[in-house]
Amino acid sequence: MKILIFVIVLSAFVSPGFGQKSHEASALQSMVETERAFAAMSEEKGIRPSFMSFIAEDGILFRPKAVRGKQWMIDHPLPASDKRPLLKWQPGFADVARAGDMGYTTGPWEYKGDINDARPSDFGNFLTVWKKQADGSWKFAVDLGISNPEPTRASAILELSKNYKQPPKGSVANVESERAALLTREREFSSSSVARGGQAAFLERASPDVRVFREGKLPFMGKAAALAAIPAGAGVWSWQPEAADVSSSGDVGYSYGLYRLENKDEGGKAETGNYLRIWKKQGGTWKVVVDLANPLPAG
């Protein structure tokens, strides 16, 4: 794995802004390179070994609900098979907190039941939350994805967030306070969705460049496009967050839990599932920048 390292020598002739951008760029690049190493191991050594290597000790997978992923994999060894499944993916967008200790990646994946199959059988997109560990390495904290139709065109080149603003030296947010605030924001969002409708609640809290992922659909990019994925009319959309965390700089966070989508026009028929949401401080307010929902299996 190649990690981009910037060595900054500060002097009267080097502007402070340059050093700030380089700090975060280095963290962003190293996180992306870790994602690529994760994907490469999946192709070379298999899906399970790669996930075991890159998941944090307390990292979350969904099987089908949220579980401690590493322990779940230990408790559920793969059965013997003459097939060698292949899961390939690549990051399409990445962003990192100002402190360089938390970030996320999204991008397309494709799956073959066996590495020798002529074509992939399934396609989709993933959302992975990464946290920097005590030893400086990146491990993923949460991973969830959706299936979607085969894309009609090749994926775009990796896009990296350009919002580089390192906080003042020594500045650290009150993580517990920010986490509590984010959970409050989540619950208020759900209550507003029930009371005012999903689209109105979403428009108020979503970032202009929000990314929305829904099962069976290609990604929705931007607030206007995303409205097509948000319940309207008789659809009642609510959720209960199970956990949340924020960066030490208090500007990037995530939450996950269970959602419920009830359709009053269909006798209260409801869909339930997992969601994973990325939040980012914009103008001092938490805004949704990524929203992914994946329904639980029927029955």
Side-chain angles (χ1 to χ4, degrees):
M1 179 180 64
K2 297 179 181 178
I3 300 178
L4 182 60
I5 300 176
F6 291 92
V7 180
I8 309 298
V9 179
L10 295 178
S11 70
F13 302 100
V14 180
S15 71
F18 178 82
Q20 291 173 359
K21 290 186 179 183
S22 296
H23 163 84
E24 191 172 350
S26 178
L28 182 60
Q29 186 66 34
S30 68
M31 184 185 71
V32 168
E33 290 299 337
T34 301
E35 177 71 78
R36 287 174 171 153
F38 180 21
M41 180 179 281
S42 177
E43 294 186 47
E44 295 166 6
K45 296 185 178 181
I47 303 169
R48 181 65 67 90
S50 65
F51 273 72
M52 285 294 291
S53 294
F54 285 89
I55 191 171
E57 290 299 320
D58 58 352
I60 298 296
L61 296 175
F62 296 84
R63 297 295 187 268
K65 296 181 180 180
V67 297
R68 291 290 180 94
K70 181 165 281 192
Q71 189 60 52
W72 186 94
M73 289 186 284
I74 292 171
D75 294 340
H76 297 79
L78 290 173
S81 174
D82 58 356
K83 301 288 187 181
R84 159 72 154 83
L86 177 64
L87 180 63
K88 296 178 64 175
W89 70 87
Q90 60 179 327
F93 180 82
D95 195 8
V96 73
R98 295 177 184 174
D101 61 347
M102 178 186 291
Y104 65 93
T105 51
T106 72
W109 60 261
E110 59 183 50
Y111 175 82
K112 291 182 179 181
D114 185 80
I115 195 170
N116 296 314
D117 291 349
R119 284 182 44 77
S121 59
D122 299 281
F123 302 86
N125 273 266
F126 68 87
L127 171 58
T128 303
V129 178
W130 294 90
K131 289 184 185 178
K132 187 167 284 188
Q133 306 300 296
D135 64 358
S137 67
W138 288 98
K139 298 287 186 181
F140 75 82
V142 192
D143 181 82
L144 184 61
I146 54 101
S147 298
N148 54 240
E150 181 177 1
T152 56
R153 58 186 179 182
S155 300
I157 297 172
L158 172 66
E159 181 182 353
L160 301 178
S161 173
K162 305 266 189 317
N163 298 322
Y164 298 136
K165 279 188 179 180
Q166 188 184 357
K169 187 174 181 180
S171 174
V172 178
N174 184 323
V175 172
E176 289 302 321
S177 176
E178 289 290 356
R179 183 186 294 119
L182 183 55
L183 282 169
T184 297
R185 182 81 167 156
E186 270 278 7
R187 295 185 180 108
E188 290 174 346
F189 185 8
S190 180
S191 296
S192 178
S193 176
V194 173
R196 301 170 55 215
Q199 292 194 347
F202 176 81
L203 283 172
E204 184 178 337
R205 293 164 177 83
S207 168
D209 56 356
V210 65
R211 296 164 184 265
V212 173
F213 299 89
R214 292 294 184 266
E215 183 68 13
K217 306 289 186 181
L218 292 170
F220 299 87
M221 305 296 187
K223 191 185 286 190
L227 280 180
I230 305 303
V236 180
W237 181 37
S238 63
W239 54 89
Q240 179 60 48
E242 294 184 16
D245 201 5
V246 300
S247 65
S248 64
S249 45
D251 61 315
V252 171
Y254 69 89
S255 56
Y256 66 84
L258 290 171
Y259 75 86
R260 179 180 175 86
L261 177 56
E262 184 176 343
N263 193 319
K264 293 182 178 179
D265 287 345
E266 297 182 10
K269 183 179 179 181
E271 171 188 296
T272 59
N274 300 299
Y275 78 88
L276 174 57
R277 192 169 284 145
I278 308 295
W279 295 80
K280 189 166 186 177
K281 278 280 187 72
Q282 295 180 347
T285 302
W286 285 111
K287 294 288 187 178
V288 178
V289 291
V290 187
D291 187 293
L292 186 150
N294 189 316
L296 290 169

